[in-house]
Amino acid sequence: MRVAMIGAGYVGLVSGTCFADFGHTVTCVDTDAAKIDNLRAGRLPIYEPGLDQLVAANMRQGRLDFTTDLAAAVADADAVFIAVGTPSRRGDGHADLTYVHQAAAQIATALTRYTVVVNKSTVPVGTGDQVERIIREANPAADFSVASNPEFLREGAAIEDFKRPDRIVIGAEDPRAQEVMRDLYRPLFLNQAPLVMTGRRTAELTKYAANAFLAMKVTFINEMADLCEQVGANVQEVARGIGLDKRIGAKFLHAGPGYGGSCFPKDTLALVKTAQDHGSPVRLVETTVAINDARKRAMAARIITACDGDVAGKRIAILGLTFKPNTDDMRDAPSIVIINELQAAGARIIAYDPEGVDQAKQVLRDIDYAADPYACADGADALVIVTEWDAFRALDLNELRKRLRHPALIDLRNIYPPEDVAEAGLRYWSVGRPSGAPAADDPAQ
Ligand code: UGA
């Protein structure tokens, strides 16, 4: 089948490349000519494990191409995917659909035969109806259907998620569209990936419901972590104890500094707004948003407490800036709020991140960057793990202690056993666990 993917951002690039890898012929379209030139030369705009090889292999085999010419890509496509950004609209949290609407208008005039226009961008309920209206008005003679096919890719594991999904959700009422979508995903059905074929509005809402539920799950365990600290319990064991119950499930129960990224913060807010607009508020999600916002600030306060209540003039070393490992994405990363708060309290920040520094430089100011974790710790008054990159999981703790000016390790991802840290002579604060090296001012005690 022939596929046009409008938007060569994260979702478009991963989805387009994986469809090509299934054997379809895919053209990714983007308005950014420099990005397209780079892609054609094998340079990717994002970091995603395995994606560069997959792009190169499929380009070599002639199944994947990149262009700025939307009309040419759409003209002979069986399916045109809209995978453009839907940022939060400034001020009110609603998803900004400008790019989706623009794409729909451009697709409209490029259609030459029956085509399924598929929304892959995360869009509020009813957006499929709008896309249909825009195309119909711009090109009344066009033969097309509009479907919704939300993505559930996690950054850092996107290829695996695309190729081995828990489920595929397709919202399409028209049987012709259902058939095209089935053909596109046929390689996955052979692996028995469940297909949820449903109405367009249901598919649109399913995406938001999934992200909101996961955000709520993370927030729940974060609140349990706070409670664990107060009652002397261990949140990792609580998570294991509840996660083994199949009705709850073990995933997304890692306590940490709060969720971030390009999806959960934006999608929870958009769902809250949609629900309010329809007079059916989702109060659990509203509360989740508020708790998560407060949590990032609370993490900064925790670091300040660990530094004897004052970070003015102190050098704080931060390991991990991206919102999670295996990505260079800094969007809504907890590190941003934490670092801003620490700087506001007078701290000097030195940071290390394996992939995120270029992006971090766009959003953070007045930071020194270290070449590796040990250089980061050099002469610092505290070392803080904000993102759990694998490279931070087996650091030489004795070496860190020697490098630090004050032997304080604040681990916001619980990646070290408290005993090991204590043994290395470091004072240790983690999240929702008893501290290995109790100190008078230890907030976990
Ligand atoms: C999320 C969803 O997991 C994907 O299914 C969805 O497709 C994607 O959003 C999207 O809408 O595009 P992603 O934002 O890449 O994926 O990241 P996650 O792995 O879900 O992590 C989100 C945040 O929650 C991160 O800040 C992470 O550190 C945090 N988190 C996650 C925790 O603090 N604890 C956990 O146990 C899990």
Side-chain angles (χ1 to χ4, degrees), residues 10-11 122 151-156 161 167 207 210-211 214-215 218 221-222 250-267 323-325 332-334 388 413:
Y10 190 83
V11 172
T122 299
E151 56 87 17
F152 300 100
L153 311 175
R154 285 164 306 161
E155 291 191 17
D161 284 351
R167 79 309 204 180
K207 166 66 190 223
N211 273 1
L214 291 170
V218 170
I221 204 67
N222 283 342
K251 294 189 175 153
F252 277 68
L253 287 178
H254 296 291
Y259 61 78
S262 60
C263 305
F264 285 3
K266 167 172 77 71
D267 294 350
F323 81 96
K324 66 174 195 177
D332 268 311
E388 70 280 29
R413 299 287 184 169

Side-chain angles (χ1 to χ4, degrees), residues 94-169:
H94 274 291
D96 181 345
L97 296 178
T98 311
Y99 300 121
V100 173
H101 292 164
Q102 272 170 9
Q106 288 167 0
I107 291 166
T109 50
L111 295 171
T112 57
R113 62 186 174 90
Y114 178 71
T115 309
V116 186
V117 178
V118 193
N119 237 324
K120 217 170 206 346
S121 304
T122 299
V123 289
V125 180
T127 304
D129 303 355
Q130 294 172 16
V131 168
E132 189 170 309
R133 210 165 34 245
I134 290 169
I135 299 178
R136 178 76 54 225
E137 279 168 11
N139 185 353
D143 188 16
F144 72 101
S145 313
V146 175
S148 162
N149 173 216
E151 56 87 17
F152 300 100
L153 311 175
R154 285 164 306 161
E155 291 191 17
I159 295 171
E160 172 72 11
D161 284 351
F162 195 96
K163 292 193 161 183
R164 267 173 279 282
D166 288 345
R167 79 309 204 180
I168 299 150
V169 175

